[in-house]
Each structure stands twice: as structure tokens, then as C-alpha cells.
Amino acid sequence: MFSIRKAEDSDIAEIERVMRDSITGISSRSYDPRQVESALKFVAHLDRDLVSDNTYFVVESDGEIVGCGGWSKRGKLYAGSGSSGDDARLLDPATEAARIRAMFVVPRFERRGIGRLILERCEDDARAAGFHRVELMAMLSGEAMYAACGYREVERVAAKLEDGTPFPLTRMEKTIG
């Protein structure tokens, strides 16, 4: 029913649509309207490095992109964190965790295994690249899915988006080999 493939530059507009749909439809159950509005400004934009690094995926149903997500071998942990000179640094697979990044599903396709499909692909690819651990910064709306996939909570983070809006997150990790 679903197919997964690497994202291409031509998918970016549709990926960002999925991000916006997910934030307004799923994340709005965990965040208040001000937080959702800020997330639409600062989170719902794809980090183009994920596509150019060939580590970002889309899931399609009948030709429609209904989910997206990826992993990164770079220093940036999550969108909305502002930028840092360390963001583009390549991680050391022997000592650092790969990053799971920008996981979103269209609300009408939630709870159908799309997130798990993407996570498994990311973990397999990160493992093949020499990583032994993966970590992510979970939005509150995604915590339960990550926990069901074997991720453990490391810390609660009182994050703020670039406009100062509080945006609580949970740092989670998993050993993959």
C-alpha cells in the first residue's frame, strides 16, 4: 500500500505541505495555537542538506506523498533550533549518534505504520554508514510512536523556537548495533 523512496529536490514543496499538514493536524493536539503557528514558521521547512546527502525519504500512497522523514550524519539535531556553526559538521559514527530528522505524516494517514517504515529505513542506512546509535528531538506529538519503536527518553528539553515561543521537546535515543 505504501512505498518509500529517497526524496528528490522536486519533492520539497510537497514535503513542506506534509510538514504543515502534520503540524496543524497532529501536533495541534499537543501544542497550543501559538506554538503551532510558530512551528509553521520555524519547523515546517525542510533542511535541504538532508536531500542532498541522500538521507531523506518520502512515503507515497497512490503517487501522493503522505509521510516524510530522514536521518543525518551532520551535527544539527532538529529544525527550529536556530543555526550554529556546528550544524553542518560531519558526525563521527564511532563516537556520535546519527540524527533522526524531520519526521511527519499527513493526519489522515497516521497510525498506519508510516513512521515505523521511515524509522526502520533510517536506522538501516545509519547502521550501514557505521553508526551504532541514533538520537532525535521528539515533538510531544511523536513521543509515543518513538517509544513504541524502541527509543528511550534521555531528557525533557524546554526548547524555544526562533521567535522565543516555548516549544517543549524530548531528546530520545536508541542503540542500533
Side-chain angles (χ1 to χ4, degrees):
M1 180 172 179
F2 300 115
S3 60
I4 187 169
R5 64 173 173 81
K6 288 187 177 178
E8 302 171 359
D9 287 335
S10 60
D11 296 321
I12 291 173
E14 282 300 296
I15 289 167
E16 291 181 342
R17 174 197 52 84
V18 170
M19 292 173 155
R20 289 188 304 273
D21 289 353
S22 183
I23 289 169
T24 57
I26 297 173
S27 299
S28 64
R29 298 176 204 149
S30 302
Y31 294 101
D32 68 34
R34 190 181 98 196
Q35 292 168 315
V36 168
E37 181 181 336
S38 184
L40 289 170
K41 288 180 192 170
F42 300 108
V43 177
H45 304 285
L46 182 63
D47 179 346
R48 303 314 199 255
D49 284 342
L50 297 170
V51 175
S52 61
D53 286 347
N54 290 308
T55 59
Y56 201 74
F57 305 97
V58 295
V59 173
E60 295 176 310
S61 176
D62 295 324
E64 176 189 359
I65 296 176
V66 297
C68 55
W71 70 280
S72 180
K73 53 190 168 187
R74 298 187 181 272
K76 187 168 189 155
L77 182 55
Y78 65 102
S81 61
S83 57
S84 158
D86 197 40
D87 284 351
R89 174 185 65 84
L90 292 175
L91 299 168
D92 178 358
T95 61
E96 296 177 287
R99 313 317 196 194
I100 299 295
R101 298 276 314 276
M103 299 270 300
F104 295 94
V105 174
V106 172
R108 74 181 191 280
F109 284 90
E110 70 181 313
R111 300 189 189 280
R112 295 193 194 176
I114 292 171
R116 186 177 299 269
L117 177 67
I118 296 168
L119 276 177
E120 288 172 358
R121 178 69 182 268
C122 291
E123 291 168 7
D124 289 346
D125 283 12
R127 190 180 301 107
F131 287 91
H132 304 283
R133 291 182 307 116
V134 288
E135 70 176 337
L136 57 86
M137 195 64 82
M139 292 171 59
L140 301 179
S141 50
E143 265 181 21
M145 189 272 299
Y146 295 122
C149 291
Y151 286 76
R152 71 171 187 82
E153 179 181 322
V154 174
E155 68 177 318
R156 297 276 176 179
V157 178
K160 291 186 179 188
L161 295 176
E162 292 174 276
D163 62 358
T165 300
F167 201 73
L169 300 167
T170 304
R171 190 159 79 66
M172 303 179 84
E173 69 178 12
K174 179 179 180 178
T175 300
I176 58 171

